[in-house]
Amino acid sequence: MKRRFKMNSISIKLGILFSGIFIGLFFILGFILYSAFTNLFIDYIKQDLVVRGNNHANVLEKQFHQETIEHVVKMETDVTTDVLIADSNQNILASSVVPDEDMKEHMLHSDEIHKGGLIEEDWREHDYLISISPIGNYQGYVYMYYPTSLLREIVVVLNIVMIVTSFGIVLLALALIGFMSRMLTKPLITMKEATNKMALGKYKQIIPVSGNDELAQLGESIQSLGEQLQEFDDSRNEFLATVSHELRTPLTYIKGYSDILTKGIITKPEEQEEYLNIINKEAKRITFLVNDLLDVSKLQVGKFELNKETANINPVIQKVIINLKPEAEEKGVALSAELLDVPDTSIDVQRMEQVIYNLVENAIKYTIEGGITVLTYTTNDFVAIEISDTGIGIPADHLEQIWDRFYRVDSSRTRKTGGSGLGLYVVKNIIQSHGGDIRVESTENSGTTFTIYHK
């Protein structure tokens, strides 16, 4: 598909701008050079005319007689310049040409004494440039004439050469400027096309740029942005699939067991209680997932708020341990707490309970055998909460990414254990909102330890 050039395209605008600047500067420079050359050339003619006249006057001063006069006249015959020799009373003694009216009109009157030099230098209005050189002690005068018609012809030729040369240079410059503007804007056009494709959902784009200038850096940034958007889109799609699965599974349990109870198929109280517990457990599972989603949406729009109060973290941990102990025992995993005496701190109790619950529940999910320990202690004026397990651990190259939204270490592993990839993202934001910090240490197949520091 051929590209159509539009007047509002950046390459056309740059071409017009550069062309305008170049043409303006070129004509200014050309005018200056033309004026300088013309003035220098004419000044040379004037000076040469005066010098020739002075040389003739010096010769005549030594031998002012007819033979010398004829010799001087002969020297100026069949050359560009002409000579006229007059006595002290301005009577013509000899001339290389028959004097015309303009020559005669510029001869000095007897009462005018001239020290020598140009007496007519207007080459545009008069027929001659004229100089006068006195002979000796004003015994006579040597008049030199240079026909200005030659100067005007030379200037006309010079004008033609300048115009033709300028026209050729301008055409060549316009072509070069057009090519350069195209080369300069080609990366921008490529980036524009790439961003248009990205707007249509084709995020991964290859932008061929070279060098390390601003355009190359912009191209690399757009390319990197596309890759990040693609990763985000992939994570989002995977997240939506996971959330759908996470919602579908408990809803299936709730619907199935509630149908059984509604139809009265189960009559034994202990079985009814078991089914109700399952329904309650799956409802809590949905509640935690929905809460994570709500927290993420609040974090994105900056509406995540804490309701802080002065409280001790140990009772919060004990409550979480009591709630999750049945789930741990069901898997054959020991869940214990070593809660040392720690000072009260300013916390949002409900949010901190959510943090501990998420971390302990994750530990239960990924611990097949062994145990989970929750420890509290103080260190350097910080209250530390340490959750350690003997689970499958986290690969070292994933440790920095586990805090990212939607990130999961292993999708296949997540499908078995459940999880939306939001829990740790929410946990870290809650801790940071409290002004604290959370760190992780993990070894594959040995276990993981999360440590929270809060002041």
Side-chain angles (χ1 to χ4, degrees), residues 9-47:
S9 68
I10 188 170
S11 58
I12 297 296
K13 290 180 179 179
L14 282 177
I16 293 174
L17 175 63
F18 291 154
S19 299
I21 293 173
F22 172 79
I23 292 173
L25 293 175
F26 176 77
F27 277 111
I28 291 172
L29 181 62
F31 176 77
I32 293 172
L33 291 176
Y34 169 78
S35 300
F37 178 79
T38 303
N39 291 334
L40 285 173
F41 176 71
I42 293 174
D43 285 344
Y44 170 78
I45 297 297
K46 292 177 180 178
Q47 291 173 11

Side-chain angles (χ1 to χ4, degrees), residues 93-108:
L93 301 177
S95 175
S96 60
V97 293
V98 178
D100 58 21
E101 292 299 323
D102 195 40
M103 290 180 176
K104 293 177 180 180
E105 286 178 1
H106 283 85
M107 292 182 68
L108 297 178

Side-chain angles (χ1 to χ4, degrees), residues 32 98 108 173 185 206 263 281 391:
I32 293 172
V98 178
L108 297 178
T185 57
I206 298 176
K263 293 175 182 178
K281 178 183 176 183

Side-chain angles (χ1 to χ4, degrees), residues 29 56 108 152-153 206 209 237 249 318 332 335 342 349 380:
L29 181 62
H56 292 323
L108 297 178
R152 287 192 287 270
E153 289 175 4
I206 298 176
V209 292
N237 292 336
T249 302
Q318 288 173 340
L335 176 59
V342 295
V349 175
N380 298 327

